[in-house]
Amino acid sequence: MNLGRDLEGILVAQGLYQDEARAMVETWRNSWFEEGSRLLYIVPSAFVNEVLPLSINPAPAQTVRVFVGRLELVTQSNRKSSQDRVCNTRRRNIEAYGRFLEPILATMIKREMNPAQAGQLQSYLNVVYSRLLEQNLGRN
């Protein structure tokens, strides 16, 4: 089974040309098919048009817009592995989760019953937020 090819087929069924669908999958391949669990879905066009109206002058004969949504899934295995790594303060191993670290930690904090452990997780999440802020400020 080739997920990229399957997704191309779905995009073509939504109205994209084959070349457009292939280019879209190739553009996003590294984030859509990287390690981890996620749900990819087609955002309904009525929602897209309401939230992001498009106006082109002169108007083309046809306009097709296909938006793919992505929902990151934090599994029990992710939470357990992350918690073990945070508790053992193996920072390099923790950072292997990359952009998934923030939602994993946020989920862990919500479920943690031990206030001291929740505080430790929150402290590390604050470090993650600080790094994200620094990265975003550096882009401007």
Side-chain angles (χ1 to χ4, degrees), residues 69-135:
R70 179 181 71 202
L71 178 66
E72 303 299 336
L73 304 174
V74 179
T75 65
Q76 180 64 29
S77 175
N78 294 136
R79 284 191 298 272
K80 176 68 176 133
S81 177
S82 300
Q83 188 163 12
D84 290 347
R85 289 177 178 186
V86 169
C87 291
N88 294 324
T89 62
R90 295 182 189 139
R91 184 159 291 191
R92 188 173 70 235
N93 291 337
I94 295 167
E95 290 172 353
Y97 287 107
R99 63 188 175 84
F100 300 108
L101 184 57
E102 188 273 334
I104 290 170
L105 286 170
T107 301
M108 289 168 58
I109 291 166
K110 286 180 188 173
R111 295 179 182 206
E112 182 57 56
M113 298 299 219
N114 179 332
Q117 182 65 32
Q120 181 183 6
L121 294 170
Q122 184 63 55
S123 294
Y124 192 70
L125 181 57
N126 291 341
V127 170
V128 171
Y129 284 143
S130 295
R131 289 183 186 162
L132 291 172
L133 182 60
E134 287 171 11
Q135 288 172 359

Side-chain angles (χ1 to χ4, degrees), residues 14 42-52 63-67:
Q14 293 293 313
I42 303 299
V43 180
S45 52
F47 177 80
V48 171
N49 292 332
E50 182 179 325
V51 174
L52 297 169
T63 303
V64 175
R65 296 172 28 169
V66 181
F67 283 61

Side-chain angles (χ1 to χ4, degrees), residues 3-13 18 21-22 25 29:
L3 294 176
R5 192 170 31 244
D6 292 345
L7 185 53
E8 280 181 34
I10 292 168
L11 294 170
V12 168
Q18 184 68 47
R22 185 174 300 114
V25 169
R29 180 172 298 282

